[in-house]
Amino acid sequence: MGWMRTWFTRERRYEDLSVSIGEHLAERVDELMAQGMPRAAAEMTARRAFGNVALIAERSREAWQWPAMESVWADVRYALRQLARSPGFTVTALLTLALAIGANTAIFSLMNAVLLRSLPVKDAARLVALKWDDQGSGDLDIWSSGYSDYEFSYPGFERMRSRTDVFKSLFGFASLGFKRGNVALTANGATTPATGTLVTGGFFDGLGVRAALGRLLSQGDEAPGAPRAAVISYDYWQESFGGSREAIGQTIALNGRPYTIVGVAGRGFSGMEPGQPDDVWIPVVDDAALRPWTSNPPPGKGMFTSHAWWWLTPMGRLREGVTPKQAEAALAAEFSAEVHEAASGKVAREPRLEVASGARGMAVPEMDYEKPARVLMGLVLLVLLAACANLATLLLARSGARGREIAVRIALGASRRRVTRQLLTESILLALAGGGLGVLVAMAGTRAFTALIGAGNDPLAIDLRLDGTVLAFTAAASMLTGILFGVAPAVRGTRVDVSTTLKDGAVSAVRQRFVLNKSLVVAQAAISTLLLVGAGLFIHSLQRLRTESMGFRPDHLLVFRLEPLQNGYTAEQLPALYDEVLARVAALPGVKSGTMVGLRLIDGWVNNFAVHVEGYTRPNGKDPNAMENSAGPRFLETTGIPLLAGRDIAGSDTHSSPRVAIVNQAFAKQYFGKRNPIGYHLSYKSMGGGIWYTGHSPSPPAVVSYTIVGVCGDARYESLRRAPQPTWYAAARQYNDLGQLRQMNFELRSDGNAAQLAEEVRGAVHDLDSRLLIDDMKTEEQQVEGTIAGDRMFAQLAAFFGALALLLAAVGLFGTLSYSVTRRTRELGIRMALGAERRVVLGMVMRQGMALVAAGIVLGLIAAALSGRLVASLLYGIRPLDAAAFVSAAAVLGAVAATAAWWPARRAAGIDPMQALRSE
Amino acid sequence: MAKTMERRDLFPGAMEMMILQSLRARPMHGYALVKHIQQVSDDLLQIEEGSLYPALQRMLREGLLDSEAGVSAKGRPTRIYRVTDKGLKHLETELSSFERMFAGITRVLAEARS
């Protein structure tokens, strides 16, 4: 407990010390005076002999201190006093820092969630995924979907799993569909869309996930004939069962198939794909209602026996001491054998097997989000940099005003290093406090983000929690920020000439180069220009997207989707069901017309396959690929795509009438030139797969042929970004492959507010069959807006960051010019006394400010031009060197800067020469 | 006008030894200590006042010295320093090691001269 005693007795020790030193000096003075020296001279001599009293006292006190800690603590207390003394500065600095660091924290949490965070499982870093690359040969004649390059056939997976000399464990999984809500889950009597994944028996064990309740799946559950067991996620358990233990043993249904809940996975684990959290896991099963990726198998191939159907994603852990490279070498032969079994013909180029990291699971969002996240991170880092420059200018101005205080401290014996450290302590303290506030800002910010991200049509569940990584980033960023904006002013601040400062007073004290202040203003102007150009680009791009003509009329359109296979229907029942649904909803009051469409417009999905166009041959003899969609009766009328020739799809186009199709103008132009396409035929080779609708013809035809009956205008199909392509619309009710009827969208044109139809539509469908789940009902305008949610978010964030940087630049310019005017009061007074007009002085100060801003604008524009290609892929319809964005950025900054410069300039012009000259 | 405060000691521990030895004779206050060393050494040694107080505080901290309130010759309040038992023991070890070192140095110098 020695240190405690030390702590308590220290005050007394300090007192003793100052008594001792005081007496020492007094005695020396007495002695010198006894030798005949006058008191003043004696005191001077005594002090000179003794040395720097304050410094010696400090050194002496250090004997009692934990040297570093103590003086830091003293610095902190002093800094707090100083900051409290100028609340205006402190509040401004804290706000600036909180916004800048908060923005960085929020964006970093986004980066962390989509790019960095590992799966929340035991030792995630050691997870490996198997990946293959056919090196573009296309030799592999296989069926795959979903994570494709990461997928293997079941026999291929078993082959790999048998290599226990390489793997400690290997398990596999396959999602039940591409989107969230890929399976209809019936629990407690209610059916809702949920997200499910097929897993092999070793899944949970291999990942090291524990059960929160009950048991997890094991190898036995995978065996044929085993009772159907399901594990639900912790979140789903909380939501649907209120966390009740009663959940275990309950029967739920997945797409109508009964399963028994055997356990709840540990909290935090939500499956293998960040952004698409699973609600339920079931053992891999060969069941037409529960297909991996909802894809149909190749005809006649068993799910567990076929070498040609690659649907399972293996992942696992390598045996201790086996490196990924060694594993690749060890598995090469195995993989090659598998490939040769899968390939129907010769394999020209051997595909390569790769052992990749599985630490982040199947982080597919990475592909879509990596670039935007990086660009956003770049934008906020620029904001932080602008904030640093801004605070540095404020501190410089302040250190000018504090010149006297600093000079006094140095005169009293503080070393320059000590004062520098003191000043740095102030800025770091500010930055840390700003960082703390920034976390609060980030918490609000991430909520806003989640809302922005969730606004899309296919929202990702991104977990923007501020975890340890994020907080560590914030702490480091704050610390660095403090040093960055504090170091130059601190070093500059202590470079005062003590005697002049003390003699002349504060104002004329820091007669130093003004270069640092100026370059900081230039830097701020440059950064804001860069950010404003960015904002301009994203806003302009969004405008282009919004005003792009779509070729159809999205107003007054309501769209919804059915996927009846999930609700207990068989494929054969679908055509009649769809007819019935359409008849009912189209008859609702307020509905002008209704139609069905295989893929709803502007949803990011398209059909695209080779089609034979009668009378058209490509030089290489192959059929061209074209976009295809299936359309119900009154398709053109309902969607508002103009009919140019021929007729719309009609109610009379049924499975018992000849197949008909409509082509768009681009299609007609490309394949028929000046000829009239009506009456010509389109055909494609039947893939022979799927489920054949026997009502149409008793056996699958080798070639499916359609007669063109109409030509329509070009309309966007996949997205707003993609211009209309040559597209043909096949009559939906004449499809032969029922697999393609698995989902159907219904579009309704209302004569009033489309959104208000929603309840009636639900009622009508519910009346028909209460099991039928209506999926993703929204107006077509919401649908379109949803596809540009990302663009909108970008434009909003970029505009926000640009405005922030602009504000900072304006404050920085204002502060610097004000300080400069104060410094030059005397000079300006002399000029005016000598006859300079107020107008001239005003112009002089304005020119001084605007010259800096102009330099910044030029630098910013150059930087924007150079970095434009980094954002090119995120823009639509404009080039990164968009004149409008560049000009408006320069104009906005120029105007705001002129306003900021106006006040100090007017103050300068208002100087009273007499007063200015007398003031010193 | 800034001064370099840290001037090298004769050798490490020399000042400490002299302080302990002086205070062993009688407890003294700081100024008296400076005077005492100056006089005893016939002005050959002068303690830098700037390094005296840090040294005293260090020794207090290590428990070699103790201090108490007292008055100076002029009747002003000051602090009187005295050696503790631990300080005496420390002085003895320091002295014997110093004497051995000094003997060694002397021999080397004598040989070099002969």
Side-chain angles (χ1 to χ4, degrees), chain B residues 56-80:
Chain B
L56 285 174
Q57 297 302 310
R58 246 189 339 265
M59 292 162 78
L60 278 169
R61 164 98 218 227
E62 285 161 17
L64 306 180
L65 299 183
D66 213 345
S67 74
E68 60 188 38
V71 283
S72 71
K74 298 270 179 177
R76 270 184 291 259
T78 184
R79 296 295 178 264
I80 311 288

Side-chain angles (χ1 to χ4, degrees), chain A residues 118-132:
Chain A
S118 296
L119 287 179
V121 299
K122 202 181 76 189
D123 207 7
R126 290 188 53 83
L127 280 175
V128 293
L130 295 182
K131 187 186 180 193
W132 54 268

Side-chain angles (χ1 to χ4, degrees), chain A residues 62 83 208 215 311 474 483 506 510 681 687 745 777 828 844 916:
Chain A
E62 271 168 13
L83 291 175
R215 70 172 180 88
W311 57 274
T474 308
I483 294 171
V510 194
H681 292 90
M687 286 183 273
N745 287 283
M777 177 148 68
L828 294 171
M844 210 173 72

Side-chain angles (χ1 to χ4, degrees), chain B residues 15-33:
Chain B
M15 170 147 64
E16 202 173 78
M17 246 162 33
M18 287 188 291
I19 291 172
L20 285 171
Q21 182 72 5
S22 309
L23 292 178
R24 175 152 79 166
R26 66 184 162 87
M28 277 179 272
H29 64 283
Y31 188 72
L33 194 55

Side-chain angles (χ1 to χ4, degrees), chain A residues 351-564:
Chain A
R352 230 179 63 81
L353 181 76
E354 196 184 314
V355 175
S357 167
R360 306 197 51 244
M362 302 313 292
V364 170
E366 187 173 326
M367 299 165 198
D368 310 339
Y369 280 75
E370 178 165 359
K371 180 98 190 192
R374 284 189 199 286
V375 170
L376 282 178
M377 200 69 222
L379 294 183
V380 286
L381 281 176
L382 282 175
V383 171
L384 190 59
L385 221 59
C388 283
N390 178 262
L391 289 172
T393 48
L394 288 185
L395 279 176
L396 278 175
R398 206 165 101 93
S399 76
R402 284 175 73 181
R404 199 182 173 85
E405 173 210 328
I406 290 165
V408 167
R409 295 199 69 197
I410 290 176
L412 285 179
S415 66
R416 272 168 220 272
R417 237 180 65 197
R418 191 64 221 282
V419 175
T420 308
R421 202 177 74 184
Q422 172 64 52
L423 292 174
L424 257 184
T425 306
E426 276 182 41
S427 50
I428 291 174
L429 209 63
L430 265 180
L432 289 180
L437 290 174
V439 170
L440 298 182
V441 171
M443 269 152 63
T446 48
R447 261 200 293 280
F449 268 156
T450 315
L452 285 175
I453 293 169
N457 286 332
D458 191 11
L460 287 163
I462 291 178
D463 181 5
L464 294 177
R465 158 166 60 86
L466 301 177
D467 61 11
T469 318
V470 176
L471 292 179
F473 165 84
T474 308
S478 309
M479 198 79 186
L480 253 165
T481 305
I483 294 171
L484 200 60
F485 74 72
V487 81
V491 169
R492 256 277 306 272
T494 55
R495 218 186 289 144
V496 293
D497 182 343
V498 175
S499 55
T500 357
T501 306
L502 290 180
K503 258 185 255 146
D504 286 5
V507 175
S508 58
V510 194
R511 281 192 203 286
Q512 282 156 346
R513 293 148 306 165
F514 210 46
V515 174
L516 187 54
N517 301 47
K518 285 182 178 170
S519 39
L520 284 170
V521 170
V522 171
Q524 286 180 67
I527 293 172
S528 2
T529 308
L530 187 55
L531 283 170
L532 286 173
V533 170
L537 286 176
F538 291 122
I539 290 170
H540 196 183
S541 163
L542 182 66
Q543 278 170 348
R544 290 296 291 267
L545 275 170
R546 283 225 170 104
T547 53
E548 203 59 82
S549 159
M550 284 180 279
F552 68 98
R553 295 194 352 250
D555 56 295
H556 297 91
L557 269 183
L558 184 76
V559 60
F560 66 93
R561 178 169 52 232
L562 296 181
E563 200 171 342

Side-chain angles (χ1 to χ4, degrees), chain A residues 72 189 232 305 351 361 369 462 478 488 539 565 723 753 789:
Chain A
V72 166
I232 55 175
T305 50
Y369 280 75
I462 291 178
S478 309
I539 290 170
L565 292 185
N753 185 341

